[in-house]
């Protein structure tokens, strides 16, 4: 089975519409595709429609989301899979997250203005259009205005870790995020554990905290990665009795190293997240 359970569309910071994403998944031989936009399920309806129209698509599509969260003070990402986009609890959480994003965007723009780059908020908003406002929109604005040559450079100079655009945010707490995903009928997956650049001890602790908070699975493979990293994550997941997931974290065809369906296969030594029994959606009292 070629599963890709972590992808983005134009509903957040991806380059392709959900329809174009599905077409690419068909072309790349994907059997199971999850759309997991940042703090949004807005693209899911279009994905569902595209899947029902595409006669070549015989796979399963999954309603998903990638939620920014805080574990203690560490910002992390939690992917929710098989969520009900109409869940009121999920809707309320995502609305709050987008409010946090708006506040952060104002702070980023103020800091960029103080550094001589004026007009970032309006510029990023325009580039985002209906999408969830995120740092890549600021990066694209910085490039469009000639402040940087590439998006990568924009992150390296202004938006990345430790730079002025790296504003602390009051994202929802990890246990809340897990609870809300599960109340929406979903499975909660710790996204790309290697991307937080933690020491071995801290990574072990994060995965332990995630399991203790009731998380379901971790991404064993996220985009291209070293075999040793896959092996380490596999051992940590098994030790914490978590299931495994895989995804490309696809954003754009320009990033050819993480194309849709390129994450490969989940190692046989771990229970796949797609084999866990599905949760039913919790109805609010
Ligand atoms: P946000 O959710 O608004 O904080 O934006 C995070 C997104 O920015 C990630 O999901 C990536 O798509 C993108 N991103 C983060 N770091 C980098 C980087 N160094 N270069 C390019 N894109 C990045
Ligand atoms: Mn992204
Ligand atoms: Mn992420
Ligand atoms: Mn992602």
């Amino acid at each position: 089975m070629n599963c890709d359970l972590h992808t983005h569309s134009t509903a957040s910071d991806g380059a392709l519409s959900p329809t174009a994403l599905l077409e690419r998944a068909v072309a790349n031989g994907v059997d199971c595709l999850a759309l997991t936009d940042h703090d949004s399920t807005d693209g899911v309806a279009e994905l569902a429609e595209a899947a029902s129209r595409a006669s070549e698509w015989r796979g399963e599509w999954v309603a998903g989301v990638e939620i920014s969260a805080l574990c203690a003070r560490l910002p992390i990402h939690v992917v929710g899979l098989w969520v009900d986009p109409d869940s009121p609890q999920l809707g309320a959480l995502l609305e709050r997250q987008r409010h946090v994003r708006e506040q952060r965007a104002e702070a980023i723009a103020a800091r960029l203005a103080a550094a001589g780059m004026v007009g970032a908020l309006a510029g990023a908003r325009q580039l985002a259009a209906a999408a969830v406002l995120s740092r890549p929109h600021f990066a694209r604005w910085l490039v469009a205005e000639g402040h940087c040559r590439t998006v990568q450079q924009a992150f390296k100079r202004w938006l990345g870790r430790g730079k002025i655009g790296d504003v602390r945010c009051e994202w929802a707490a990890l246990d809340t995020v897990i609870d809300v995903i599960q109340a929406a009928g979903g499975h909660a997956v710790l996204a790309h554990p290697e991307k937080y650049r933690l020491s071995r001890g801290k990574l072990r602790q994060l995965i332990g905290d995630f399991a203790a908070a009731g998380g379901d699975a971790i991404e064993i493979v996220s985009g291209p990665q070293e075999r040793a990293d896959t092996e380490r994550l596999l051992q940590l997941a098994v030790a914490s009795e978590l299931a495994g997931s895989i995804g490309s974290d696809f954003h754009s065809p320009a990033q050819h190293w993480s194309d849709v369906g390129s994450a490969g296969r989940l190692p046989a030594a771990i229970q796949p997240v797609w084999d866990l029994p599905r949760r039913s959606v919790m109805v609010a009292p």
Side-chain angles (χ1 to χ4, degrees):
M1 273 251 289
N2 184 342
C3 294
D4 191 338
L5 299 180
H6 188 153
T7 67
H8 296 270
S9 77
T10 44
S12 65
D13 57 352
L16 301 186
S17 67
T19 304
L21 177 73
L22 187 90
E23 283 165 5
R24 204 169 177 88
V26 169
N28 291 357
V30 172
D31 301 301
C32 184
L33 172 74
L35 178 62
T36 57
D37 276 309
H38 296 286
D39 295 319
S40 174
T41 55
D42 289 352
V44 168
E46 185 184 322
L47 181 72
E49 202 185 306
S52 70
R53 267 190 286 113
S55 52
E56 334 82 273
W57 174 252
R58 286 179 189 76
E60 180 190 357
W61 63 269
V62 179
V65 62
E66 181 176 15
I67 302 179
S68 300
L70 287 177
C71 179
R73 289 168 59 82
L74 179 72
I76 58 167
H77 288 175
V78 181
V79 162
L81 299 172
W82 294 281
V83 294
D84 174 7
D86 295 326
S87 154
Q89 293 100 317
L90 181 60
L93 177 75
L94 297 184
E95 200 178 307
R96 182 186 173 277
Q97 295 279 106
R98 290 200 287 256
H99 179 66
V100 171
R101 283 178 174 277
E102 286 293 326
Q103 288 181 322
R104 178 183 64 161
E106 286 172 19
I108 292 175
R111 289 181 183 191
L112 290 175
M117 292 160 281
V118 177
L121 188 58
R125 277 210 177 112
Q126 193 175 10
L127 288 171
V132 167
L133 193 53
S134 58
R135 281 182 293 164
H137 299 116
F138 281 94
R140 288 174 209 162
W141 177 82
L142 286 165
V143 173
E145 290 293 301
H147 296 303
C148 301
R149 274 188 296 109
T150 64
V151 161
Q152 292 295 338
Q153 203 179 61
F155 271 92
K156 208 166 172 182
R157 281 197 192 154
W158 306 111
L159 302 167
R161 187 184 299 233
K163 307 298 173 189
I164 59 169
D166 178 20
V167 176
R168 280 209 73 81
C169 275
E170 289 304 316
W171 302 120
L174 174 61
D175 50 356
T176 304
V177 170
I178 292 173
D179 286 351
V180 168
I181 287 171
Q182 294 177 344
H187 290 307
V189 183
L190 178 64
H192 44 61
E194 291 292 337
K195 275 210 193 136
Y196 311 121
R197 288 192 264 163
L198 301 172
S199 66
R200 271 170 185 253
K202 287 260 161 65
L203 180 62
R204 182 182 297 275
Q205 193 182 340
L206 170 62
I207 291 171
D209 288 349
F210 184 79
D216 297 294
I218 72 173
E219 284 181 354
I220 302 294
V221 182
S222 171
Q225 72 183 38
E226 302 281 331
R227 221 192 175 95
D229 290 338
T230 308
E231 204 43 52
R232 181 169 57 224
L233 290 173
L234 195 58
Q235 284 172 11
L236 289 170
V238 170
S240 290
E241 296 183 5
L242 292 163
S245 186
I246 47 173
S248 61
D249 205 358
F250 172 81
H251 281 77
S252 158
Q255 292 167 356
H256 51 85
W257 56 91
S258 59
D259 204 347
V260 186
S262 66
R265 302 285 187 269
L266 187 68
I270 189 154
Q271 181 175 39
V273 67
W274 54 88
D275 280 354
L276 294 177
R278 297 277 190 277
R279 285 201 173 82
S280 46
V281 180
M282 227 166 79
V283 180

